[in-house]
Amino acid sequence: MRQLSNLILAVALTTAIPATAQDMPGKGVSVSPIKGSPANAWFQHMVVQLGLEALGYDVEETLEADFPAVHLAVASGDADYTFNHWKPLHNNFFDKSGGEGVMTRVKASITGAGQGYFIDRKTAEEHGIKDIGQLKDAAVSGIFDSDGDGRANLSGCNPGWGCELAIEQHLDDYDLRDTVQHDQGSYFAIMADTITRYNEGGSILYYTWTPNWISDVLVPGDDVVQIGVPSNGDFDAGFAVNDVYIVANNDFLEDNPAAAKFFELVEIPISAVNAAQVKLRDGENTLEDFRRHAEDWVKANQAEFDGWVAEAAKAN
């Protein structure tokens, strides 16, 4: 009887070992993620990190850089992946870094990210402002002058993010150089000043995007309205709606089919990303906070997340 029990135990252990190995295909493999400098991309990166860890991968500290450098790092293999590629906003960064020959847009895992220009609702209604072309009129642009130089102050986009190129193009296309100042530097510090100006009763003009906490403070339709670029009747925001992709190095994908499969499966609603931005705005801005936000979302969507991991584990 004892011999039979020992035999059953031995068989059970023997059959369990391959199953465990299959469940942890990333064991012993280090993975290097990279993200852009804005803190609001941490949430989705942490969700992916949790999935890779569940597959056994050792996820290294996430690197941060401006977006051109993010794409170059993934292309060269200095980083393995990013969940911070906006298409079409970052198309030029992707193409100039080697494009599909060296890396792959694996999955548009967040869809419907918008961007555009906004002004306070009171000023929009009082002066009938609907597009930035109207700022060519010094009498209109002067309403948004916050530094006394006579030009409108546009709280804009950091150099290296990609959105600044579209704004600069608009300033040229609509002959706004003499009447609009594109304020750049630290976006969220500039926007803090913009919000203060609004709260003190001033007129404001700014660029922003979703998902982002800005629109939870300056609420479209209540506090502010979106204005577009000159068009022939239909509203034109001047910016394309973007999808946010996981982009990974081709060699990494080939060597790690489980990770590649997990990247293919991940989907995060833009509402979940925006909810995480609100927590970031409220001061939950440490790595521990970002990981907890991701863990909470995974727990609320555990069955779906576990399904991604289980299917990815089979890819090996």
Side-chain angles (χ1 to χ4, degrees):
M1 189 69 176
R2 180 179 296 175
Q3 289 178 336
L4 178 59
S5 297
N6 289 340
L7 177 61
I8 293 172
L9 177 61
V11 170
L13 290 173
T14 303
T15 56
I17 292 172
T20 303
Q22 182 182 10
D23 291 343
M24 303 291 279
K27 187 174 183 180
V29 180
S30 294
V31 182
S32 176
I34 190 168
K35 61 177 285 295
S37 53
N40 58 6
W42 272 112
F43 172 70
Q44 62 258 34
H45 276 86
M46 282 296 184
V47 170
V48 169
Q49 178 169 331
L50 293 174
L52 293 177
E53 290 174 353
L55 289 165
Y57 289 96
D58 176 18
V59 182
E60 298 176 355
E61 181 178 350
T62 301
L63 304 172
E64 292 189 273
D66 285 336
F67 290 107
V70 167
H71 290 78
L72 284 169
V74 174
S76 67
D78 290 337
D80 296 313
Y81 73 92
T82 184
F83 194 169
N84 219 175
H85 171 80
W86 284 47
K87 184 182 178 181
L89 184 64
H90 294 155
N91 282 358
N92 196 41
F93 301 152
F94 182 87
D95 294 338
K96 286 190 173 181
S97 299
E100 294 178 354
V102 289
M103 52 187 167
T104 298
R105 293 182 178 101
V106 182
K107 174 73 177 292
S109 296
I110 302 170
T111 58
Q115 50 184 328
Y117 299 114
F118 291 81
I119 65 174
D120 61 285
R121 179 180 171 184
K122 179 182 177 181
T123 301
E125 293 177 349
E126 283 185 1
H127 298 276
I129 302 172
K130 296 182 178 180
D131 67 66
I132 63 167
Q134 295 171 257
L135 299 177
K136 186 176 179 180
D137 183 345
V140 176
S141 62
I143 298 168
F144 303 99
D145 177 17
S146 61
D147 60 10
D149 70 352
R151 295 183 295 170
N153 287 89
L154 166 62
S155 301
C157 180
N158 284 23
W161 284 7
C163 42
E164 84 284 4
L165 301 177
I167 295 173
E168 291 294 311
Q169 189 63 53
H170 290 160
L171 296 182
D172 288 335
D173 289 347
Y174 304 113
D175 196 19
L176 298 173
R177 291 290 178 186
D178 293 335
T179 57
V180 177
Q181 169 65 40
H182 182 190
D183 292 337
Q184 298 174 272
S186 175
Y187 176 80
F188 289 103
I190 291 172
M191 284 305 302
D193 291 340
T194 302
I195 293 167
T196 298
R197 179 175 171 82
Y198 172 74
N199 289 336
E200 292 175 349
S203 299
I204 57 172
L205 166 67
Y206 64 95
Y207 160 89
T208 198
W209 68 93
T210 57
N212 192 342
W213 60 262
I214 296 296
S215 293
D216 290 280
V217 176
L218 298 172
V219 179
D222 293 337
D223 303 303
V224 298
V225 296
Q226 185 171 7
I227 62 172
V229 298
S231 66
N232 294 321
D234 293 333
F235 179 81
D236 183 349
F239 299 87
V241 174
N242 280 251
D243 295 329
V244 185
Y245 279 74
I246 298 174
V247 170
N249 179 275
N250 286 347
D251 290 339
F252 173 80
L253 293 173
E254 183 176 354
D255 294 340
N256 295 276
K261 188 63 179 178
F262 185 78
F263 292 160
E264 291 175 8
L265 296 169
V266 173
E267 288 188 8
I268 303 177
I270 198 167
S271 58
V273 185
N274 202 54
Q277 307 315 309
V278 175
K279 295 175 182 177
L280 170 63
R281 175 203 70 195
D282 292 342
E284 298 182 26
N285 55 10
T286 67
L287 286 178
E288 291 77 12
D289 290 329
F290 300 143
R291 185 178 179 97
R292 187 182 70 257
H293 300 161
E295 288 173 342
D296 289 345
W297 183 82
V298 167
K299 288 176 184 175
N301 299 272
Q302 196 69 59
E304 183 178 23
F305 181 84
D306 290 347
W308 297 341
V309 173
E311 189 169 345
K314 298 174 185 176
N316 257 34

